[in-house]
């Protein structure tokens, strides 16, 4: 039996034995050298140590887009002033008069120097990092030595957040042992806190899988140290997630028939639930949980949509019953989409929006809780998220079937794979901003293509010459020469085709993030089976870390696996 299929434990128990070293705390602040100065209003100004450390966080980010944003600047300055001494507060009252350029340069130079270190020095640094990884990066779980995911605490710095997060620029404080709760087994060697410190608490809770936790100060959320995705525990959980999604496949037709009936229900609450479920199923929207007021960014999911987030068009671009969505979803990523929906859905939306203000809830009688209870009733373990996993995986499988041409070479097949993955990323709205380096790397690729075209043209001329010579001479040597030139031309044409495919792939991919769906929403067995079926090396699809995470799937799936 493989390690994925060892004996199961009883109710809610995740482990019997858990032993580890606790988190690795990032090194303390090293003061700036005397000759690196901060200037206020054009004059050098010596900052106290705590104030200087926070100044370095901002200085390091000077060349980043964040520091040009007003929200970021205001949040930073507000939090920085709170940490200043009263003398500093008296003087430093205007961010525009602060000059961090010398500090910024110091860190840029330091970085360059590190990159330029001789090989032996780099090797020494790597060995030191490996030593820390060996000591802190593993735990013993039920007799297995398992890798820990993130064993270091996050360093202090300025909060960035994703999208246009309202808290960007706020001060992320240093995590101290006094903030940390340790979780391990009672009989294990309990981790020692760093000298002169103590843990907030030590727990022996075998119903959870985290090793340590603390509350971060910006969003007041809990952070955990967890096992690495490649560990048996995480692998099992991952596998179960996709098995639940596969079970949905058998009942999804019944569920769809039911919510269609509910569009005409006498109860408005049921109608709202049915329309929301249609969106979650058809558009892979997130459910959207209730949130504390003013706690976080104003982001919504399906159940928390407001009237202002949708517009109804009886006719638009040659389609009927079009709903235009425009809202900020998870991580403040904008969701914008125009979708033709069924007539009954359209009529219901008109009804839900009647006599409401733009800021009113669209589904005012619906809570995520009510929706998930209903889903649980339809199928054991079913939540809104399972629809996202199911629709993503089924889309990948169908697209791979439709797009893969068995006659294509490896590069052609990989383009088809990435196109199938892109269809999923678009469904799940996984966007990214165009990478900063995009234009430059596209230019480099274009230069390679132009050079290769030239080589192909030269090879064509060479071949023509060789064929003409062969006609004149008609000897074996001349014929060999023609064959040689033909082979060369064929090889160059293949290389050119490959480069052209790369350029197409790159262009189509510039605003789409493939990684999120690949890691979280797509059953890896679909990709493993596809690789095995078409003789594609698995490392062309998954990098080393991903292959470790999906070891269970690589183990299990044959080429005829069907999701």
């Amino acid at each position: 039996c493989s390690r994925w299929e060892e004996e199961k434990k009883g109710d809610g128990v995740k482990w019997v034995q858990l032993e580890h070293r606790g988190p690795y705390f990032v090194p303390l602040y090293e003061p700036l050298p005397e000759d690196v100065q901060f200037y206020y209003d054009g004059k050098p100004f010596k900052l106290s140590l705590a104030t200087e450390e926070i100044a370095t966080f901002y200085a390091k980010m000077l060349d980043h887009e964040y520091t040009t944003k007003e929200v970021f600047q205001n949040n930073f300055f507000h939090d920085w002033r709170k940490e200043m001494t009263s003398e500093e507060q008296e003087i430093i009252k205007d961010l525009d008069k602060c000059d961090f350029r010398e500090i910024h340069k110091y860190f840029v130079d330091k970085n360059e120097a590190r990159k330029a270190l001789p090989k032996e020095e780099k090797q020494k640094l790597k060995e030191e990092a490996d030593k820390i990884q060996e000591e802190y990066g593993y735990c013993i779980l039920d007799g297995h030595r398992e890798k820990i995911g993130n064993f270091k605490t996050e360093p202090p710095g300025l909060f960035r957040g994703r999208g246009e997060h309202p808290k960007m620029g706020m001060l992320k404080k240093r995590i101290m042992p006094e903030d940390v709760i340790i979780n391990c087994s009672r009989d294990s060697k309990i981790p020692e806190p760093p000298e002169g410190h103590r843990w907030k608490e030590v727990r022996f809770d075998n119903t959870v899988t985290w090793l340590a936790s603390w509350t971060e100060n910006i969003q007041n959320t809990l952070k955990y140290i967890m096992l690495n995705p490649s560990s048996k525990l995480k692998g099992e959980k991952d596998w179960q997630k996709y098995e639940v999604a596969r079970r949905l496949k058998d009942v999804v037709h019944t569920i769809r028939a039911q919510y269609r009936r509910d569009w005409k229900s006498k109860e408005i609450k049921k109608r709202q639930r049915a329309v929301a479920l249609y969106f979650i199923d058809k558009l892979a929207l997130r459910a959207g949980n209730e949130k504390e007021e003013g706690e976080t960014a104003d982001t919504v999911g399906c159940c928390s949509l407001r009237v202002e987030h949708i517009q109804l068009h009886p006719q638009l671009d040659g389609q009927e019953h079009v709903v235009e969505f425009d809202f900020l979803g998870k991580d403040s990523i904008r969701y914008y989409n125009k979708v033709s929906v069924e007539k009954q859905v359209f009529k219901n939306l008109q009804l839900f929006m009647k006599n409401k203000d733009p800021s009113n809830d669209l589904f005012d009688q619906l809570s995520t809780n009510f929706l998930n209870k209903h889903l649980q009733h339809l199928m054991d373990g079913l939540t809104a998220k399972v629809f996202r996993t199911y629709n993503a995986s089924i889309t990948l499988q169908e697209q791979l079937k439709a797009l893969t041409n068995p006659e294509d070479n490896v590069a052609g097949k990989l383009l088809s794979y990435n196109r199938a993955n892109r269809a999923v990323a678009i469904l799940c709205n996984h966007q990214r901003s165009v990478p900063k380096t995009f234009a430059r790397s596209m230019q480099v690729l274009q230069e390679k293509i132009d050079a290769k075209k030239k080589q192909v043209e030269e090879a064509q001329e060479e071949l023509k010459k060789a064929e003409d010579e062969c006609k004149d001479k008609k000897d074996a040597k001349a014929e060999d020469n023609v064959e040689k030139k033909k082979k060369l031309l064929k090889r160059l044409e293949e290389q050119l085709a490959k480069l052209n495919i790369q350029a197409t792939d790159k262009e189509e991919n510039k605003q789409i993030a493939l990684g999120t769906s690949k890691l979280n929403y797509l059953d890896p067995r679909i990709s493993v089976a596809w690789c095995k079926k078409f003789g594609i090396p698995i490392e062309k699809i998954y990098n080393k870390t991903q292959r470790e995470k999906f070891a269970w799937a690589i183990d299990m799936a044959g080429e005829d696996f069907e999701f």
Side-chain angles (χ1 to χ4, degrees):
C1 109
S2 80
R3 76 178 191 134
W4 307 110
E5 296 165 290
E6 273 181 22
E7 79 306 326
K8 294 272 174 279
K9 294 180 189 55
D11 233 15
V13 172
K14 303 291 197 324
W15 47 264
V16 179
Q17 175 213 13
L18 176 62
E19 181 166 313
H20 57 93
R21 284 290 313 261
Y24 177 78
F25 291 91
V26 289
L28 293 171
Y29 176 62
E30 274 181 42
L32 292 171
E34 288 299 319
D35 58 343
V36 177
Q37 291 182 309
F38 165 77
Y39 294 85
Y40 189 72
D41 210 3
K43 300 181 200 65
F45 185 88
K46 182 76 181 140
L47 299 169
S48 65
L49 208 56
T51 309
E52 177 186 282
E53 179 180 11
I54 299 165
T56 64
F57 300 155
Y58 194 82
K60 284 176 187 171
M61 291 178 71
L62 277 194
D63 53 3
H64 209 293
E65 194 192 345
Y66 276 110
T67 48
T68 62
K69 295 183 179 179
E70 206 176 316
V71 180
F72 190 93
Q73 295 173 354
N74 293 343
N75 283 338
F76 160 71
F77 199 59
H78 174 264
D79 278 10
W80 189 32
R81 277 184 55 84
K82 275 199 297 205
E83 304 297 320
M84 289 177 186
T85 64
S86 48
E87 295 89 71
E88 287 168 336
Q89 284 173 343
E90 275 304 301
I91 296 168
I92 302 175
K93 291 191 169 170
D94 184 354
L95 183 60
D96 289 336
K97 292 183 178 172
C98 296
D99 181 351
F100 301 95
R101 283 175 305 189
E102 207 169 282
I103 305 177
H104 175 73
K105 185 180 180 314
Y106 167 72
F107 284 108
V108 171
D109 294 347
K110 203 170 157 176
N111 224 355
E112 292 304 319
R114 198 169 61 236
K115 281 186 200 156
L117 281 176
K119 210 170 166 188
E120 308 73 66
E121 290 292 317
K122 278 188 180 160
Q123 186 54 35
K124 231 163 78 183
L125 288 174
K126 188 183 177 305
E127 280 164 15
E128 281 168 25
D130 289 348
K131 210 178 124 194
I132 294 171
Q133 168 82 45
E134 273 304 308
E135 197 175 332
Y136 289 90
Y138 292 89
C139 66
I140 304 290
L141 185 118
D142 294 344
H144 294 278
R145 184 170 185 258
E146 296 275 19
K147 203 171 173 186
I148 298 171
N150 51 332
F151 59 91
K152 294 180 176 175
T153 58
E154 282 182 32
L158 304 179
F159 179 72
R160 300 183 180 198
R162 296 195 197 153
E164 294 298 318
H165 203 289
K167 294 190 172 187
M168 63 165 82
M170 287 170 75
L171 176 62
K172 218 165 71 172
K173 298 203 164 142
R174 182 179 290 278
I175 307 299
M176 299 305 274
E178 285 70 15
D179 303 317
V180 175
I181 300 171
I182 295 286
N183 191 31
C184 57
S185 52
R186 226 175 257 283
D187 53 1
S188 71
K189 187 173 176 302
I190 290 168
E192 295 279 332
E195 213 171 311
H197 290 278
R198 53 190 189 71
W199 302 122
K200 179 176 180 180
E201 185 191 331
V202 177
R203 279 187 200 171
F204 312 109
D205 182 355
N206 63 4
T207 64
V208 296
T209 57
W210 52 267
L211 287 59
S213 90
W214 59 86
T215 303
E216 57 88 37
N217 66 296
I218 299 217
Q219 317 229 63
N220 270 324
T221 51
L222 282 165
K223 292 274 185 183
Y224 298 99
I225 287 185
M226 298 276 200
L227 287 174
N228 184 288
S230 66
S231 62
K232 175 170 177 267
L233 221 100
K234 288 281 189 198
E236 270 176 4
K237 203 174 162 194
D238 216 28
W239 172 27
Q240 280 160 3
K241 173 173 89 177
Y242 292 112
E243 287 303 305
V244 172
R246 284 176 87 193
R247 287 207 333 262
L248 173 58
K249 193 179 64 172
D250 303 328
V251 295
V252 76
H253 301 295
T254 328
I255 292 175
R256 284 171 180 162
Q258 157 114 42
Y259 70 55
R260 298 177 102 86
R261 280 198 304 275
D262 283 347
W263 291 341
K264 294 183 173 167
S265 166
K266 296 236 183 341
E267 291 176 66
I268 199 94
K269 192 173 181 176
K270 272 194 184 164
R271 285 197 188 199
Q272 290 190 356
R273 184 179 69 193
V275 171
L277 194 46
Y278 169 76
F279 285 163
I280 285 167
D281 180 21
K282 187 176 156 78
L283 304 173
L285 295 188
R286 291 185 181 84
N289 296 308
E290 294 79 33
K291 293 190 300 194
E292 298 300 310
E293 276 300 305
E295 254 310 283
T296 46
D298 175 30
T299 57
V300 296
C302 186
C303 297
S304 45
L305 283 170
R306 299 191 292 271
V307 173
E308 62 197 336
H309 294 136
I310 69 167
Q311 272 186 306
L312 302 181
H313 307 277
Q315 232 107 27
L316 186 71
D317 307 333
Q319 288 187 303
E320 291 200 318
H321 310 123
V322 175
V323 182
E324 184 178 355
F325 292 87
D326 193 353
F327 62 89
L328 290 185
K330 183 182 172 189
D331 295 329
S332 302
I333 302 289
R334 181 182 178 205
Y335 182 90
Y336 181 77
N337 201 357
K338 289 187 272 206
V339 194
S340 169
V341 299
E342 307 203 16
K343 189 177 175 183
Q344 192 59 46
V345 172
F346 195 81
K347 282 165 98 172
N348 271 320
L349 287 168
Q350 286 174 318
L351 177 71
F352 302 159
M353 291 167 83
K354 215 170 150 184
N355 304 328
K356 280 189 193 170
D357 292 333
S359 62
N360 289 128
D361 285 339
L362 178 65
F363 302 117
D364 53 300
Q365 308 204 7
L366 180 66
S367 68
T368 323
N369 199 0
F370 176 67
L371 175 70
N372 276 331
K373 269 201 181 122
H374 173 64
L375 292 177
Q376 180 61 33
H377 169 73
L378 294 173
M379 180 190 112
D380 187 37
L382 185 59
T383 63
K385 189 180 176 181
V386 179
F387 278 92
R388 252 171 102 77
T389 309
Y390 162 77
N391 279 316
S393 290
I394 216 86
T395 301
L396 181 75
Q397 184 167 281
E398 285 166 358
Q399 290 288 317
L400 284 175
K401 273 187 189 151
L403 297 172
T404 312
N405 175 2
E407 305 304 307
D408 273 351
N409 58 11
V410 171
K413 286 181 183 138
L414 284 172
L415 177 64
S416 300
Y417 180 90
N418 281 346
R419 283 184 165 157
N421 193 346
R422 270 196 281 283
V424 174
I426 290 166
L427 173 78
C428 293
N429 198 40
H430 292 151
Q431 308 174 10
R432 61 173 183 174
S433 42
V434 179
K436 280 197 181 72
T437 54
F438 179 79
R440 177 77 194 109
S441 62
M442 203 64 180
Q443 188 187 340
V444 170
L445 191 53
Q446 198 49 56
E447 284 161 11
K448 277 188 191 163
I449 289 172
D450 295 341
K452 194 61 74 183
K453 272 185 187 155
K454 218 167 147 187
Q455 285 180 306
V456 168
E457 281 161 18
E458 282 164 10
Q460 282 167 335
E461 280 167 24
E462 294 268 316
L463 175 62
K464 198 172 175 308
K465 250 197 253 169
E467 283 172 341
D468 292 345
E469 265 176 37
C470 190
K471 270 185 202 146
D472 297 344
K473 291 191 179 162
K474 294 199 168 56
D475 65 353
K477 195 176 168 194
E479 276 178 22
D480 275 355
N481 194 29
V482 169
E483 278 311 305
K484 232 165 78 182
K485 299 289 180 201
K486 269 188 183 162
K487 271 188 183 152
L488 175 68
L489 177 62
K490 186 168 182 254
R491 203 171 75 231
L492 288 169
E493 283 175 339
E494 278 173 2
Q495 288 170 343
L496 177 62
K498 196 173 169 182
L499 284 170
N500 277 321
I501 286 175
Q502 267 183 349
T504 309
D505 204 20
K506 213 178 178 65
E507 179 59 43
E508 288 178 7
N509 217 29
K510 67 179 175 189
Q511 280 178 287
I512 295 170
L514 296 182
T516 319
S517 55
K518 207 183 231 184
L519 276 181
N520 301 310
Y521 290 107
L522 296 173
D523 188 329
R525 290 170 296 186
I526 299 168
S527 301
V528 171
W530 181 83
C531 285
K532 287 180 181 171
K533 185 172 178 179
F534 292 107
I536 308 284
I538 212 115
E539 34 291 343
K540 296 272 185 203
I541 301 290
Y542 292 134
N543 64 28
K544 183 169 177 286
T545 316
Q546 291 163 340
R547 291 197 299 277
E548 285 173 0
K549 172 172 177 165
F550 296 139
W552 61 270
I554 295 169
D555 240 15
M556 277 180 185
E559 63 173 70
D560 43 11
F561 171 82
E562 284 273 330
F563 178 72

